[in-house]
């Protein structure tokens, strides 16, 4: 292959015929559009294959970066049969290109995945100047055919071609057309079939693994998480690749990933709902690990320049995460009213609670304020259900009957309030001596808990909170001060008495532990979502 093709002999086998046609395609001679070669080429059986070394010899191109970019564009077109069918595979659906890619040998698949990720990490640049990407005119038809032929052959070669051109490329967060296309192709393949060593039933797979520099991948993700495609890749990795997830947990610079995630959640109003869901699920998956929950409270941030409500100095990454999750819940209550989003935020906070260490005063105040806000909403719903409060638009129906959705919403907020109480309980039960600011916050606003003290769903949890309040209130009563109580003075007394706290009278509850699992028909969400991302870049 690669030279002038020989004329096939009469009665030659299909492989020999295909050899001639492919040789003509990648050779030096040009063929007009009306040539019969094209029709014959389309009739070549797709099952025919050539050895790798022959393909390798035929496909050495100096502008391979540009060729790979065009190849990936071709792959989008070939895989776009999914756009003609629903998200659930049907009996009449046909995806010949993706199906053919999936049945390749494991080593080839691993090489393709590795190459796509290497492109994403190294972010090579493509130059579209006249010398490397000429305007296609009739006088330049031989060059056009050679480019097309090289691209067609190089598709088979994609994982094996030398990538020396990548070594000197910059790995910053700037845009790279090749990196963007590589990532999108990978996402289409990932969410068509799983590329992990463990399948959905948890059975170990024996195929070859994809070897990657996790350090470079971690750093690249940290620089690119403002991009929605990168968010989906991170989700796919932390949920589907246990090796990468373990690597994340041993990193000491978790702020590399978490800071862009938290900043994006902070600016949720300017992001898509799907992106917010993915980020919250990532945090939920990470919070399932106790070492992660401990590590984020040890990492202190000198400042958080993008946080505008107040200046945050020397706050822990864990405290910032608590603040942003609570802020997301409050934003959702006023704007989106999405129960699934609420649940994910509270589940992550619950996983973090037993491991909280020196939660900041601001984060502690926001936690109590969250309970207060949920409590106010709960009280309003109770009044509406009992006919004591005004109905919002759409609640009143003929005959003055309260619709079922009010009762359903009341049950939802009952569950939310209980989870917040369990979060506070977990901090007080397992980590009170390390969190004087939390004690101060519940003492400062202890009145918000009083209306729920006798509620059947909340009373047992509030008993622990009032045990803590009684202990510290009594210590405060024994102190004599000449002037009015100041914040610093109250906090000083709390810190002193935290040392003598032994948890006497506290009831022990099972720790809440939330885990994330994909729904049984997750492809109904992910396949349209991936193609939405692909089409948005076309």
């Amino acid at each position: 292959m690669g030279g002038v093709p020989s004329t096939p002999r009469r009665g030659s086998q299909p492989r020999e015929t295909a050899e001639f046609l492919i040789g003509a395609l990648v050779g030096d001679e040009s063929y007009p559009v009306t040539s019969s070669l094209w029709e014959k080429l389309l009739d070549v059986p797709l099952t025919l294959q050539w050895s790798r070394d022959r393909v390798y010899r035929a496909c050495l191109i100096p502008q391979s970066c540009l060729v790979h970019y065009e190849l990936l564009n071709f792959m989008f077109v070939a895989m776009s049969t999914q756009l003609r069918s629903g998200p659930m595979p049907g009996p009449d659906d046909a995806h010949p290109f993706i199906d053919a890619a999936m049945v390749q040998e494991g080593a080839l698949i691993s090489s393709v995945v590795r190459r796509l990720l290497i492109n994403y990490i190294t972010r090579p640049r493509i130059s579209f100047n006249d010398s490397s990407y000429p305007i296609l005119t009739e006088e330049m038809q031989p060059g056009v055919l050679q480019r097309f032929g090289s691209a067609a052959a190089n598709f088979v070669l994609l994982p094996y071609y030398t990538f020396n051109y990548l070594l000197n490329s910059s790995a910053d967060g700037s845009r790279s057309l090749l990196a963007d296309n590589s990532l999108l192709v990978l996402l289409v393949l990932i969410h068509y079939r799983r590329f992990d060593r463990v399948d959905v039933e948890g059975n170990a797979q024996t195929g070859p693994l994809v070897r990657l520099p996790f350090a470079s991948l971690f750093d690249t993700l940290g620089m690119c998480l403002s991009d929605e495609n990168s968010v989906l890749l991170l989700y796919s990795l932390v949920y589907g690749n246990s090796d990468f997830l373990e690597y994340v947990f041993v990193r000491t610079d978790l702020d590399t990933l978490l800071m862009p995630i938290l900043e994006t959640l902070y600016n949720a109003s300017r992001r898509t709902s799907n992106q917010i869901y993915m980020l919250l699920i990532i945090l939920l998956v990470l919070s399932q690990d106790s070492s992660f929950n401990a590590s984020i409270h040890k990492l202190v941030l000198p400042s958080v320049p993008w946080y505008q409500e107040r200046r945050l100095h020397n706050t822990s990454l864990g405290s910032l995460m608590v603040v942003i999750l609570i802020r997301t819940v409050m934003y959702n209550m006023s704007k989106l009213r999405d129960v699934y989003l609420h649940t994910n935020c509270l589940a992550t906070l619950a996983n973090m609670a037993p491991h909280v260490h020196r939660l900041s005063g601001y984060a502690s105040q926001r936690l109590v304020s969250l309970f207060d806000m949920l409590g106010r909403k709960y009280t309003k719903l109770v009044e509406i259900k009992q006919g004591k409060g005004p109905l919002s638009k759409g609640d009143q129906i003929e005959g003055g009957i309260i619709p079922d959705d009010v009762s359903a919403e009341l049950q939802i907020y009952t569950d939310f309030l209980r989870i917040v109480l369990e979060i506070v309980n977990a901090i007080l039960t397992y980590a009170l001596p390390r969190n004087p600011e939390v004690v101060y916050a519940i003492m400062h606003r202890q009145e918000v808990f009083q209306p729920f003290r006798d509620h059947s769903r909340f009373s047992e949890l509030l008993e622990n909170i009032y045990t803590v309040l009684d202990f510290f209130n009594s210590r405060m009563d024994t102190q004599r001060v000449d002037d009015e109580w100041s914040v610093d003075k109250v906090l000083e007394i709390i810190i002193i008495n935290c040392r003598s706290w032994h948890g006497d009278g506290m009831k022990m509850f099972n720790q809440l532990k939330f885990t994330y699992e994909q729904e049984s028909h997750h492809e109904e969400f992910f396949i349209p979502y991936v193609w939405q991302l692909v089409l948005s870049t076309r």
Side-chain angles (χ1 to χ4, degrees):
M1 296 176 62
V4 178
S6 58
T7 303
R9 298 186 300 274
R10 184 181 298 274
S12 59
Q13 297 300 315
R15 178 176 293 276
E16 292 177 282
T17 303
E19 179 98 2
F20 168 80
L21 293 170
I22 298 297
L25 183 64
V26 301
D28 296 329
E29 183 178 354
S30 63
Y31 293 85
V33 175
T34 56
S35 171
S36 61
L37 177 134
W38 304 112
E39 184 175 353
K40 294 176 182 177
L41 188 63
L42 292 174
D43 290 334
V44 171
L46 295 177
T47 55
L48 291 180
Q49 298 182 356
W50 282 266
S51 63
R52 295 178 191 168
D53 60 327
R54 298 181 69 191
V55 176
Y56 184 83
R57 290 196 304 269
C59 298
L60 292 178
I61 310 157
Q63 297 296 337
S64 58
C65 187
L66 182 59
V67 171
H68 287 180
Y69 172 71
E70 296 297 352
L71 275 168
L72 293 170
N73 284 332
F74 162 73
M75 292 178 70
F76 285 131
V77 175
M79 295 187 297
S80 63
T81 52
Q82 284 193 308
L83 294 174
R84 302 285 296 177
S85 59
M88 286 289 290
D92 299 326
D93 292 341
H95 308 301
F97 185 87
I98 309 181
D99 289 337
M102 292 300 172
V103 298
Q104 300 302 309
E105 62 181 30
L108 177 61
I109 292 177
S110 296
S111 297
V112 171
V113 173
R114 175 180 170 81
R115 164 49 67 89
L116 295 175
L117 283 170
I118 289 294
N119 285 348
Y120 172 73
I121 292 171
T122 54
R123 317 191 70 72
R125 306 300 177 86
I126 300 177
S127 175
F128 288 98
N129 56 42
D130 290 343
S131 61
S132 63
Y133 203 51
I135 299 174
L136 306 183
T137 63
E138 290 186 4
E139 291 77 9
M140 301 173 66
Q141 286 302 310
V144 173
L145 291 174
Q146 289 170 8
R147 283 181 183 276
F148 177 76
S150 299
N154 213 29
F155 168 65
V156 181
L157 182 64
L158 182 61
Y160 302 100
Y161 188 77
T162 177
F163 43 92
N164 289 333
Y165 70 89
L166 299 177
L167 299 181
N168 295 322
S169 59
S170 173
D172 60 19
S174 58
R175 305 296 300 188
S176 163
L177 294 175
L178 185 60
D180 292 345
N181 271 13
S182 296
L183 175 55
L184 287 169
V185 166
L186 180 61
L187 291 175
V188 171
L189 295 175
I190 286 175
H191 293 287
Y192 187 72
R193 292 287 188 272
R194 293 285 299 278
F195 272 114
D196 192 21
R197 68 163 71 190
V198 179
D199 61 24
V200 290
E201 289 81 23
N203 302 314
Q205 297 181 352
T206 58
L209 302 179
V210 179
R211 305 287 182 184
L212 282 170
F214 277 171
S216 299
L217 180 56
F218 181 95
D219 293 337
T220 302
L221 284 165
M223 291 185 291
C224 299
L225 283 178
S226 60
D227 173 51
E228 193 167 358
N229 305 337
S230 294
V231 171
L232 184 54
L233 174 62
L234 178 58
Y235 162 82
S236 304
L237 287 168
V238 298
Y239 180 74
N241 190 301
S242 57
D243 288 338
F244 182 79
L245 183 59
E246 287 299 319
Y247 176 79
V248 171
F249 291 146
V250 301
R251 289 282 294 229
T252 58
D253 58 339
L254 287 170
D255 54 317
T256 299
L257 283 185
L258 289 185
M259 287 300 282
I261 290 176
L262 297 178
E263 184 177 3
T264 302
L265 290 176
Y266 178 78
N267 295 305
S269 61
R270 301 201 291 268
R271 303 295 181 175
T272 68
S273 58
N274 285 341
Q275 186 175 4
I276 299 303
Y277 291 147
M278 290 295 99
L279 291 172
L280 291 175
I281 291 171
I282 289 168
L283 293 180
L284 177 57
V285 172
L286 295 176
S287 73
Q288 295 168 195
D289 183 81
S290 58
S291 66
F292 168 84
N293 293 322
S295 297
I296 57 178
H297 290 285
K298 296 176 183 177
L299 202 160
V300 177
L301 306 168
S303 64
V304 186
W306 45 262
Y307 194 88
Q308 299 297 317
E309 279 77 355
R310 64 183 294 162
R311 299 177 68 181
L312 299 179
H313 291 294
N314 296 321
T315 189
S316 70
L317 182 59
S319 294
L320 178 62
M321 187 167 163
V322 169
V323 168
I324 296 300
L325 286 171
I326 292 173
R327 187 179 187 276
T328 303
V329 172
M330 292 180 169
Y331 168 76
N332 182 51
M333 287 180 64
S334 62
K335 300 293 183 180
L336 303 178
R337 299 171 60 84
D338 189 310
V339 173
Y340 183 71
L341 189 150
H342 271 334
T343 302
N344 276 342
C345 289
L346 295 178
T348 303
L349 288 170
N351 286 346
M352 295 169 60
H355 311 278
V356 165
H357 185 88
R358 296 192 179 279
L359 194 67
S360 70
Y362 182 55
S364 301
Q365 295 164 22
R366 301 306 293 160
L367 183 59
V368 176
S369 295
L370 175 62
F371 179 84
D372 184 34
M373 177 175 284
L374 291 171
R376 291 175 184 273
K377 179 66 175 180
Y378 172 87
T379 302
K380 181 180 179 181
L381 289 170
V382 170
E383 292 175 350
I384 292 175
K385 185 175 182 180
Q386 295 175 346
K388 299 178 181 179
L391 297 175
S392 61
K393 185 177 181 180
D395 284 338
Q396 184 73 53
I397 62 175
E398 185 177 356
I401 306 292
I402 301 298
D404 292 339
D405 59 352
V406 174
S407 297
E409 191 171 6
L410 182 60
Q411 181 59 50
I412 289 170
Y413 276 89
T414 303
D415 294 338
F416 287 161
L417 273 174
R418 183 172 175 88
I419 292 176
V420 175
L421 285 176
E422 295 201 59
I423 291 169
V424 175
N425 255 269
I427 297 174
L428 297 179
T429 303
Y430 298 100
L432 185 148
R434 306 191 302 269
N435 292 283
E437 293 283 6
V438 176
V439 176
Y440 177 87
I442 65 171
M443 290 182 67
H444 181 64
R445 301 200 60 194
Q446 52 191 289
E447 75 281 354
V448 304
F449 301 103
Q450 184 61 40
F452 305 95
R453 194 168 185 178
D454 297 325
H455 193 288
S456 59
R457 289 290 305 279
F458 310 138
S459 59
E460 59 179 0
L461 294 168
L462 283 167
E463 284 180 20
N464 277 351
I465 293 178
Y466 276 96
T467 296
V468 173
L469 286 171
D470 291 344
F471 176 86
F472 284 94
N473 282 333
S474 66
R475 298 304 188 275
M476 296 289 297
D477 292 340
T478 62
Q479 301 294 319
R480 293 183 178 180
V481 293
D482 297 331
D483 300 322
E484 293 184 359
W485 287 101
S486 65
V487 173
D488 291 338
K489 182 62 177 178
V490 173
L491 195 55
E492 178 186 349
I493 295 174
I494 290 174
I495 292 172
I496 292 172
N497 286 281
C498 276
R499 300 167 188 165
S500 60
W501 168 260
H502 299 296
D504 297 336
M506 297 287 283
K507 292 184 178 180
M508 300 297 292
F509 297 97
N510 292 330
Q511 289 186 22
L512 286 182
K513 184 70 173 181
F514 290 92
T515 59
Y516 169 74
E517 293 183 1
Q518 283 186 343
E519 297 181 359
S520 56
H521 298 296
H522 53 271
E523 63 274 8
E524 293 183 4
F525 169 78
F526 283 105
I527 291 178
Y529 181 32
V530 171
W531 280 104
Q532 175 188 332
L533 296 177
V534 172
L535 293 175
S536 68
T537 64
R538 299 300 96 194

